[in-house]
């Protein structure tokens, strides 16, 4: 038995945001590892939740359509669970500026009530929280390590920062084992491609698969990308090991690439397609963080995690998934 099978076989695992992009990929892996999986998701249409994400395994998971803001359902849902992967979130930076209160309620207040539910009803649970690189804001230096100042440039970054630190606080004060992974741009099958709410790469992929040109804004910004299977692996490893409790870890990518070079690579891997370079829209420029890439040596040294799927390979797998399944994601 592999260490992860040992950790999860027969265990009860709750995934909030479990019908979303990363949550559903995690659920598929947990089923393979023999876990008893419960997915909680609100399926709010603007977010990445999609029932097709669990097509074929519906009978192997329990699905509860509820909202993590509901202070009455969470205490019931956390009971008896061994692990909680806390992934439910409002992910759009622009939406957080246009509707800051909803972002606050989901990414900060609801996180606190999930933790209160655990404190009152299941303090033995182990929690892994999906945090984000957005909380660093504009980098002072690159690659960014976990010691970099947190200086978010948008409402989403501030609320995710609070959400992350509630988890660390509950670990430190109440001994509810929790850690946080600061994810960078994550991509792969089951991501939202309807629009750019989750990531600009989503809309690029949809348009290229539809044979239409996509837009690259400026294109000189350099970024790192994590293939979703690698992100899932990191979440599982962090859940399975107790030396990570109370800590935060960056995830990263196998390479650093400018958005213009990424666009060229996507066209090359797709064997066709085109794009137009445009100026950055003014309303987005104000919250853009410019270049970003992570130093993920901390998680590498503590857990041995590193990205395994090269960008080219990850893009090829993603394009193949959407060529076959686009109708379910439009
Ligand atoms: N994808 C990335 O590049 C990335 C980067 C950094 C951090 N993250 C974090 O990872 C987590 C998962 O992101 P994702 O990319 O899978 O996005 P996603 O939108 O596909 O998944 C989030 C899920 O949470 C659900 N959800 C949202 N609000 C909810 C609520 N109030 N109650 C119940 N469910 C709710 C959505 O329906 C969705 O299915 C998020 O917390 C996000 O902040 C993702």
């Amino acid at each position: 038995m592999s260490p992860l099978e040992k950790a999860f076989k027969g265990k009860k695992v709750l995934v909030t945001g479990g019908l979303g992009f990363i949550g559903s990929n995690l659920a598929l892996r947990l089923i393979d590892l023999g876990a008893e999986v419960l997915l909680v998701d609100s399926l709010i249409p603007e977010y990445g939740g999609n029932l097709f994400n669990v097509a074929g395994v519906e009978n192997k998971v329990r699905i509860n359509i509820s909202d993590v803001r509901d202070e009455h359902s969470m205490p019931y849902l956390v009971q008896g669970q061994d692990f909680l992967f806390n992934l439910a979130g409002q992910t759009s930076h622009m939406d957080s500026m246009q509707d800051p209160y909803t972002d606050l309620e989901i990414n900060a207040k609801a996180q606190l009530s999930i933790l209160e539910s655990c404190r009152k009803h299941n303090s033995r649970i182990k929690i892994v929280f999906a945090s984000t690189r957005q909380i660093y804001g504009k980098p002072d230096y690159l690659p960014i390590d976990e010691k970099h100042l947190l200086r978010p440039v948008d409402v989403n970054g501030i609320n995710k920062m609070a959400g992350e630190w509630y988890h660390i606080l509950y670990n430190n004060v109440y001994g509810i084992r929790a850690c946080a992974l600061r994810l960078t741009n994550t991509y792969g099958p089951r991501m939202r491609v309807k629009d750019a709410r989750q990531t600009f790469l989503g809309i690029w992929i949809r348009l290229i698969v539809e044979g239409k040109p996509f837009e690259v804004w400026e294109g000189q910004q350099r970024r790192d990308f994590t293939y979703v299977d690698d992100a899932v692996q990191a979440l599982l490893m962090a859940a399975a090991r107790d030396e990570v409790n109370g800590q935060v870890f960056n995830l990263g990518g196998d390479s650093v690439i400018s958005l213009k070079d990424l666009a060229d690579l996507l066209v090359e891997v797709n064997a066709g397609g085109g794009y137009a370079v445009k100026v950055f829209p003014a309303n987005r420029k104000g919250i853009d963080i410019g270049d970003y890439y992570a130093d993920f040596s901390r998680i590498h040294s503590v857990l041995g995690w590193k990205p395994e799927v090269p960008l080219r390979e990850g893009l090829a797998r993603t394009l193949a998934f959407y060529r076959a399944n686009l109708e379910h994601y439009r």
Side-chain angles (χ1 to χ4, degrees):
M1 225 192 261
S2 72
L4 288 182
E5 260 177 314
K6 230 185 202 162
F8 293 104
K9 202 173 173 55
K11 292 287 163 52
K12 291 186 167 209
V13 183
L14 170 61
V15 184
T16 67
L19 293 174
F21 163 42
I22 301 171
S24 60
N25 281 286
L26 173 65
L28 297 180
R29 188 77 197 287
L30 283 164
I31 294 167
D32 280 348
L33 293 169
E36 254 182 66
V37 183
L38 170 60
L39 306 180
V40 172
D41 204 294
S42 56
L43 283 181
I44 296 168
E46 288 77 20
Y47 307 158
N50 185 337
L51 273 170
F52 186 77
N53 282 344
V54 291
V57 296
E58 302 91 333
N59 300 329
K60 296 182 178 167
V61 287
R62 283 196 299 141
I63 297 174
N64 188 311
I65 305 300
S66 41
D67 197 301
V68 294
R69 286 171 290 184
D70 180 350
E71 288 170 28
H72 301 292
S73 57
M74 286 320 291
Y76 168 75
L77 292 167
V78 300
Q79 282 176 41
Q81 300 293 330
D82 297 301
F83 295 97
L84 163 59
F85 290 95
N86 195 8
L87 272 57
Q90 191 302 106
T91 65
S92 161
H93 303 286
M94 280 309 291
D95 286 6
S96 83
M97 301 307 288
Q98 278 146 14
D99 176 6
Y101 303 115
T102 299
D103 194 273
L104 176 71
E105 278 170 16
I106 297 176
N107 289 330
K109 187 172 176 224
Q111 303 308 316
L112 192 53
S113 62
I114 291 169
L115 288 160
E116 274 293 280
S117 300
C118 294
R119 184 173 74 83
K120 291 180 185 151
H121 302 283
N122 184 1
S123 59
R124 294 167 60 96
I125 200 165
K126 166 76 186 266
I127 311 174
V128 182
F129 175 68
S131 183
T132 172
R133 60 135 165 82
Q134 194 67 14
I135 68 178
Y136 291 116
K138 282 193 176 69
D140 285 334
Y141 57 85
L142 290 165
I144 278 197
D145 58 17
E146 293 84 352
K147 293 193 180 117
H148 190 283
L149 274 181
L150 302 183
R151 218 170 26 206
V153 294
D154 58 26
V155 168
N156 179 261
I158 292 175
N159 295 331
K160 287 291 286 189
M161 180 172 78
E164 179 190 279
W165 278 89
Y166 289 139
H167 285 77
I168 304 305
L169 180 82
Y170 273 60
N171 177 89
N172 295 349
V173 176
Y174 300 117
I176 296 167
R177 295 169 301 150
C179 68
L181 303 186
R182 293 177 179 163
L183 278 58
T184 183
N185 299 280
T186 308
Y187 72 102
R190 301 176 185 80
M191 68 202 275
R192 182 180 173 98
V193 297
K194 225 176 234 183
D195 48 39
R197 276 203 165 84
Q198 198 170 71
T199 154
F200 64 88
L201 190 51
I203 192 72
W204 287 14
I205 289 188
R206 172 178 165 189
L207 290 170
I208 204 166
V209 168
E210 289 176 339
K212 297 177 189 157
F214 58 92
E215 284 184 7
V216 178
W217 298 337
E218 285 171 19
Q220 299 315 311
Q221 316 87 305
R222 288 176 303 160
R223 293 288 164 87
D224 54 358
F225 294 85
T226 312
Y227 186 66
V228 67
D229 290 3
D230 285 328
V232 164
Q233 181 72 9
L235 289 162
L236 292 167
M237 289 167 111
R241 302 261 294 270
D242 273 335
E243 59 269 49
V244 299
N245 298 342
Q247 294 193 54
V248 298
F249 297 93
N250 287 341
L251 299 192
D254 74 314
S255 54
V256 177
I257 188 168
S258 76
L259 298 196
K260 169 89 170 48
D261 288 347
L262 177 68
D264 288 333
L265 181 62
L266 188 65
V267 169
E268 188 192 321
V269 173
N270 189 52
Y275 61 89
V277 176
K278 294 268 169 78
V279 294
F280 227 99
N283 59 347
R284 291 186 183 253
K285 187 77 190 164
I287 61 169
D288 183 47
I289 58 167
D291 290 344
Y292 174 93
Y293 47 95
D295 174 344
F296 54 85
S297 55
R298 179 186 275 184
I299 191 167
H300 183 62
S301 65
V302 177
L303 291 179
W305 179 89
K306 64 177 173 42
E308 301 289 347
V309 180
L311 186 55
R312 175 182 290 272
E313 169 66 22
L315 291 175
R317 290 191 208 170
T318 309
L319 286 167
F321 178 85
Y322 285 102
R323 269 187 221 113
N325 298 300
L326 189 61
E327 63 188 294
H328 302 286
Y329 290 88
R330 281 191 224 257

